[in-house]
Structures are given as structure tokens and as C-alpha cells.
């Protein structure tokens, strides 16, 4: 297993969306406003404080949803980057949360808007920038359109220090067939962030085993029911990652009302994965 700088765990700010409160819906659509809204409440913490909160809990990688950035001004971007550096937190991924490279009418507009985020990601010190591959149905035409625009975007990021990645997410990529087709056409210009929670069980297990060997990073989202974390599902997803040979970091995605304090869910998932990884050598030698 490879040794990872700053450990093997990250947290996405999506896992803290109630804690952070306001969102800014940056969008390529001129009719959408980026004015702050509070769909998850007013929040009790600022994004600038998250790196220190992570470090205090033994986590040293961060992913930030674009809508959690309260400002895109250079001064704020510099301040946020400094906050990560002081806390020894590596900025793993900027998650760009709008745009559709597969749309027949707005794909070109959207991908040009996505390209504007490359400089922001670089200024923040991000290793990667995750974009949406597409939201349209997986027709041959829509897939080809997305591949063309994403290839262009990957080319625009060359030399920036930021690698563009996509996710097995939305209607364009409902199975490993479409996911692998797209990655093959992108020919390494764009990488994969595999998400454990975007596809539905039971088909998702074999799907994850198929794609996670190509993943550079992983959104380790857990499902919750009335009794808490679905341990059987989470373990099986992790087993599929192991089967595929995935050995990258796990981004802890907590997205449930089960724990009022989002940190409780995040740390439970971290402990679950740590226990699983401790068992791996024993399973391999059994």
C-alpha cells in the first residue's frame, strides 16, 4: 500500500454543511444568483476555521465544495490557503458543484465556466478539481459531447498543478460501462474520483469493483438507517475497493440527520474504515 502524504483520510465540507450553514450557488447560468442562501440553517462555524478543526481530530486532508467559499477574492483565497498550511492540512480537491459538459445547448458555456475555476483551485493549492461529467441521459451523443469538452478542460489544466477529475455521478454515468467508456476516451487527461454512495445497491458493488482500480481518490459515503450506519453496505463497498486494488485516500462523506453533530458521523466512519484496513492483512494471509 502506498504511503500517502498527510494520512489517508480527508473530509469534504459537504459533510459539514449544517455546521457551515450558508451556501453560495456559483453557476455558469446567468439567471442564478451566488448570493448566500441558508437551506441547511445559518451555521455556527466559518470555512476558515475548518482546517484547524480537522487537524485537531487527526485528519489532515480537506475537500471544499465550491458553494462553501464565501468569497473568491484573492485576499480571502490567500487567507484560506494560509489557514490550511498553518494546520498542516493538504487541500486535496476543490469540488466544482455546477455545470454540465453533456448538455446539448449549454455544454460549451459550462465547460468554459469550469475552466475559470482552475486558477482558483491553483491559488488555493488544490491537488485536484472535481467537476461534473454530465447530467444528461447516457446516449452516445451526450457521452461523446461530454468526452470532448472534458478533454478540452483537462488540457486547460495542464501546467497548473491541478488535476481535473470526474465522479461516477448523475444520469450520464449510471454504471461502469459508461464510466469506463468515458475514461478510456479521456486517455488520462482527466482522472476518477470514485464515490461509494452514488450508485444503488446491489448492482453498485460489482460496479465499484470494476471502476475503483482506476480511481485516484474516493468519496467514502456511508448509508444510514433508523438504527445508524449500514455496516454491511459500508463494509462491502470497502471490500470492492480492496478487490479493485484501490489504495488512495478516503474522503469521509457524512450525509445524514442521524447524528445532530456532523463530526460524530465523520469520526464514526473514520473509525470504521480504520478497523477495516487493520483487518486487510489478516484477510490476505488467511
Amino acid at each position: 500500500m502506498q504511503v500517502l502524504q498527510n494520512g489517508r483520510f480527508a473530509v469534504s465540507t459537504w459533510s459539514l454543511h449544517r455546521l457551515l450553514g450558508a451556501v453560495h450557488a456559483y453557476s455558469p447560468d446567468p439567471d442564478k444568483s451566488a448570493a448566500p442562501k441558508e437551506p441547511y440553517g445559518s451555521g455556527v462555524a466559518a470555512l476558515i476555521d475548518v482546517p484547524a478543526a480537522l487537524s485537531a481530530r487527526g485528519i489532515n486532508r480537506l475537500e471544499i465544495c465550491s458553494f462553501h467559499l464565501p468569497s473568491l477574492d484573492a485576499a480571502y483565497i490567500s487567507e484560506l490557503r494560509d489557514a490550511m498550511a498553518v494546520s498542516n492540512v493538504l487541500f486535496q480537491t476543490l469540488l466544482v458543484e455546477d455545470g454540465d459538459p453533456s448538455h446539448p445547448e449549454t455544454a460549451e458555456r459550462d465547460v468554459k465556466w469550469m475552466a475559470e475555476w482552475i486558477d482558483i483551485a491553483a491559488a488555493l493549492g488544490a491537488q485536484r478539481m472535481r467537476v461534473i461529467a454530465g447530467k444528461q441521459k447516457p446516449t452516445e451523443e451526450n457521452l461523446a459531447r461530454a468526452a470532448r469538452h472534458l478533454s478540452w478542460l483537462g488540457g486547460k489544466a495542464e501546467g497548473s498543478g491541478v488535476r481535473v477529475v470526474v465522479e461516477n455521478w448523475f444520469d450520464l454515468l449510471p454504471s461502469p460501462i459508461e464510466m469506463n467508456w468515458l475514461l478510456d476516451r479521456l486517455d488520462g487527461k482527466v482522472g476518477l474520483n470514485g464515490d461509494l454512495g452514488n450508485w444503488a445497491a446491489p448492482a453498485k458493488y460489482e460496479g465499484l469493483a470494476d471502476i475503483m482500480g482506476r480511481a485516484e481518490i474516493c468519496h467514502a459515503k456511508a448509508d444510514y438507517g433508523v438504527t445508524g450506519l449500514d455496516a454491511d453496505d459500508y463494509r462491502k463497498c470497502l471490500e470492492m475497493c480492496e478487490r479493485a486494488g484501490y489504495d488512495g485516500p478516503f474522503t469521509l462523506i457524512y450525509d445524514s440527520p442521524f447524528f445532530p453533530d456532523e463530526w460524530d458521523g465523520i469520526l464514526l466512519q473514520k473509525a470504521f474504515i480504520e478497523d477495516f484496513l487493520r483487518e486487510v492483512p489478516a484477510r490476505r494471509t488467511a
Side-chain angles (χ1 to χ4, degrees):
M1 186 172 294
Q2 65 178 339
V3 178
L4 294 168
Q5 179 189 1
N6 286 50
R8 202 158 180 204
F9 291 99
V11 167
S12 164
T13 56
W14 175 248
S15 301
L16 298 166
H17 60 267
R18 296 196 302 270
L19 182 79
L20 292 173
V23 297
H24 303 253
Y26 304 111
S27 174
D29 184 345
D31 293 331
K32 287 186 179 179
S33 169
K37 299 178 180 63
E38 297 182 349
Y40 315 113
S42 58
V44 294
L47 177 61
I48 201 80
D49 299 322
V50 169
L54 279 178
S55 185
R57 291 167 173 82
I59 301 171
N60 295 97
R61 288 170 169 259
L62 176 62
E63 296 197 344
I64 296 176
C65 300
S66 56
F67 51 66
H68 278 139
L69 289 168
S71 172
L72 302 182
D73 290 344
Y76 178 80
I77 295 296
S78 178
E79 185 181 0
L80 180 57
R81 181 169 180 161
D82 288 346
M84 289 186 275
V86 166
S87 296
N88 191 33
V89 167
L90 182 149
F91 189 19
Q92 181 170 284
T93 317
L94 175 63
L95 306 168
V96 178
E97 302 287 10
D98 206 342
D100 183 357
S102 68
H103 196 284
E105 296 174 1
T106 60
E108 186 171 350
R109 177 200 70 183
D110 289 7
V111 79
K112 287 179 178 177
W113 174 83
M114 289 174 169
E116 295 173 3
W117 285 90
I118 295 170
D119 287 344
I120 298 170
L124 281 165
Q127 288 186 330
R128 294 175 179 85
M129 183 177 90
R130 192 273 281 133
V131 299
I132 295 166
K135 299 179 181 180
Q136 306 307 303
K137 296 298 182 183
T139 64
E140 184 176 344
E141 183 179 9
N142 290 337
L143 281 161
R145 182 182 301 109
R148 184 171 68 253
H149 288 302
L150 289 167
S151 179
W152 175 85
L153 184 65
K156 292 291 285 184
E158 288 178 2
S160 68
V162 177
R163 177 156 169 80
V164 176
V165 296
V166 293
E167 187 174 331
N168 53 314
W169 194 23
F170 287 116
D171 285 353
L172 189 74
L173 303 172
S175 82
I177 294 172
E178 296 82 10
M179 188 75 255
N180 283 317
W181 184 95
L182 182 64
L183 291 173
D184 289 345
R185 297 312 180 279
L186 292 171
D187 196 28
K189 285 186 176 181
V190 173
L192 173 61
N193 168 43
D195 191 295
L196 306 186
N198 285 345
W199 290 342
K204 75 170 178 178
Y205 303 122
E206 288 301 320
L208 290 170
D210 193 328
I211 68 167
M212 285 306 296
R214 307 182 76 165
E216 302 172 13
I217 52 177
C218 171
H219 278 177
K221 182 180 178 181
D223 286 337
Y224 287 76
V226 293
T227 60
L229 186 148
D230 186 339
D232 289 342
D233 174 79
Y234 210 30
R235 184 175 294 106
K236 194 158 188 178
C237 288
L238 295 171
E239 287 171 351
M240 296 304 103
C241 291
E242 182 194 348
R243 193 169 111 189
Y246 177 74
D247 61 358
F250 291 100
T251 303
L252 303 164
I253 304 291
Y254 174 68
D255 183 14
S256 169
F258 186 81
F259 292 108
D261 186 336
E262 290 162 309
W263 286 114
D264 290 339
I266 290 166
L267 295 177
L268 174 65
Q269 291 173 208
K270 179 176 182 284
F272 189 102
I273 297 174
E274 286 173 331
D275 288 345
F276 176 86
L277 294 175
R278 276 193 289 269
E279 295 167 6
V280 168
R283 286 198 302 272
R284 288 176 177 170
T285 57

